[in-house]
Amino acid sequence: MNPIWFVRMARWARNPPSTARIRLVFGIIAVLLMIWGIEKIGWWPDWAKATRARP
């Protein structure tokens, strides 16, 4: 493990992120999981799907 990570962990322990920042991160993760789930179910519209360009 890189020693820089220990410095980051110590900084986080001394000054943890705010509640608003934690909610923001979990909100973004929830939106991404919803989009992934909608795509897996098959409800994602065809116009929003990416197509590969042919060489």
Side-chain angles (χ1 to χ4, degrees):
M1 190 172 201
N2 196 347
I4 294 296
W5 287 103
F6 290 117
V7 174
R8 282 186 180 183
M9 286 188 277
R11 195 178 305 158
W12 267 50
R14 291 185 193 119
N15 190 10
S18 65
T19 307
R21 173 72 56 105
I22 293 171
R23 286 182 183 165
L24 175 69
V25 170
F26 280 121
I28 292 171
I29 291 171
V31 168
L32 292 175
L33 287 174
M34 284 176 21
I35 291 172
W36 178 78
I38 289 170
E39 185 179 357
K40 284 294 181 185
I41 291 173
W43 293 350
W44 196 253
D46 289 334
W47 59 266
K49 292 183 181 178
T51 57
R52 294 185 182 209
R54 295 183 182 171

